[in-house]
């Protein structure tokens, strides 16, 4: 019997098909996470029954800026991030004009007149890191959450988890989240 010294061939044509099928399988079955952003709704032009052409007094604006070195400045003073929430709460709940019956502020003449007139101005540069920007927004959101929770427990006599849709509308009315975001040029 004669042996040939030829090597047997492996048919690799079907391997490409198998690799392609595996690729398609993994693409179809892979879970692609949804991007989650900040849930904010842009305000309407001007709510009915409210005069939006009036002047905004400087004392009703809390200016928070994040510079290119990611330093946070509240009213032009460098501030650590862990103080932003308390500064925001104090500013919003100030009751500067004495007309707020549910506020517990100290009626400072350099903070807001009323929670419905308090505006938070958040400014950043092009070099501000996204994580720092989001961290500052989180602190502002925590301030509003705590003020609304306090109102819920003290005035509505309900825990925040037990609020109805009407109660939530009331909370948003007494402590409206007014945030102005701009980029410093």
């Amino acid at each position: 019997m004669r042996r040939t010294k030829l090597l047997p061939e492996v048919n690799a044509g079907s391997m490409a098909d198998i690799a392609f099928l595996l690729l398609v399988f993994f693409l179809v079955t892979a879970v692609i996470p949804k991007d989650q952003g900040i849930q904010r709704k842009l305000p309407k032009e001007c709510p009915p029954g409210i005069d939006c052409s009036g002047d905004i007094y400087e004392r009703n604006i809390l200016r928070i800026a994040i510079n290119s070195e990611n330093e946070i400045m509240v009213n032009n003073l460098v501030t650590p991030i862990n103080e932003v929430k308390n500064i925001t709460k104090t500013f919003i709940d100030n009751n500067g004009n004495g007309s707020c019956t549910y506020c517990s502020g100290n009626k400072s003449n350099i903070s807001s007149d009323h929670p419905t007139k308090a505006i938070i101005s958040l400014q950043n540069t092009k070099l501000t890191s996204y994580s720092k920007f989001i961290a500052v927004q989180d602190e502002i959101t925590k301030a509003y959450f705590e003020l609304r929770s306090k109102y819920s427990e003290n005035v509505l006599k309900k825990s925040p988890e037990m609020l109805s849709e009407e109660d939530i509308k009331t909370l948003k009315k007494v402590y409206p989240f007014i945030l102005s975001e701009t980029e410093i040029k």
Side-chain angles (χ1 to χ4, degrees):
M1 208 190 258
R2 252 172 148 205
R3 283 192 147 191
T4 60
K5 294 189 177 186
L6 295 174
L7 295 174
E9 287 187 28
V10 176
N11 185 5
S14 62
M15 289 196 113
D17 293 337
I18 292 170
F20 180 72
L21 288 173
L22 284 173
L23 178 67
V24 169
F25 173 77
F26 286 117
L27 285 175
V28 170
T29 59
V31 176
I32 300 172
K34 292 182 181 178
D35 289 338
Q36 292 191 1
I38 302 170
Q39 294 183 357
R40 298 270 192 262
K41 290 184 181 178
L42 293 175
K44 295 181 173 103
E45 293 285 326
C46 185
I50 297 176
D51 181 23
C52 294
S53 63
D55 293 331
I56 299 172
Y57 297 110
E58 187 64 33
R59 72 181 277 174
N60 289 325
I61 301 173
L62 178 65
R63 298 185 189 284
I64 302 174
I66 310 169
N67 64 17
S68 57
E69 285 88 36
N70 287 323
E71 295 174 319
I72 302 166
M73 292 177 284
V74 178
N75 290 333
N76 296 322
L77 298 172
V78 176
T79 307
I81 193 160
N82 58 353
E83 292 181 18
V84 171
K85 178 183 73 170
N86 289 330
I87 291 171
T88 304
K89 281 174 57 176
T90 303
F91 172 78
I92 295 167
D93 209 35
N94 180 49
N95 194 17
N97 62 7
S99 65
C100 182
T101 58
Y102 53 87
C103 295
S104 59
N106 53 10
K107 299 182 181 181
S108 169
N109 61 354
I110 59 170
S111 290
S112 74
D113 289 329
H114 194 274
T116 58
K117 295 180 181 181
I119 299 170
I120 310 297
S121 173
L122 181 57
Q123 301 172 333
N124 64 294
T125 66
K126 288 184 179 183
L127 299 176
T128 301
S129 74
Y130 186 71
S131 61
K132 183 63 79 170
F133 181 77
I134 295 300
V136 171
Q137 276 204 345
D138 284 346
E139 293 299 311
I140 295 168
T141 303
K142 286 178 196 175
Y144 274 98
F145 178 78
E146 288 181 12
L147 288 170
R148 289 174 176 176
S149 294
K150 182 178 165 188
Y151 181 87
S152 170
E153 291 168 0
N154 294 341
V155 177
L156 299 177
K157 305 291 186 206
K158 296 180 182 178
S159 69
E161 297 83 25
M162 303 302 290
L163 295 175
S164 66
E165 287 294 321
E166 193 62 36
D167 293 334
I168 293 172
K169 286 181 184 176
T170 301
L171 283 180
K172 290 180 178 180
K173 188 175 181 182
V174 296
Y175 284 109
F177 193 105
I178 305 171
L179 179 68
S180 170
E181 296 175 357
T182 57
E183 185 175 300
I184 302 170
K185 297 194 178 196

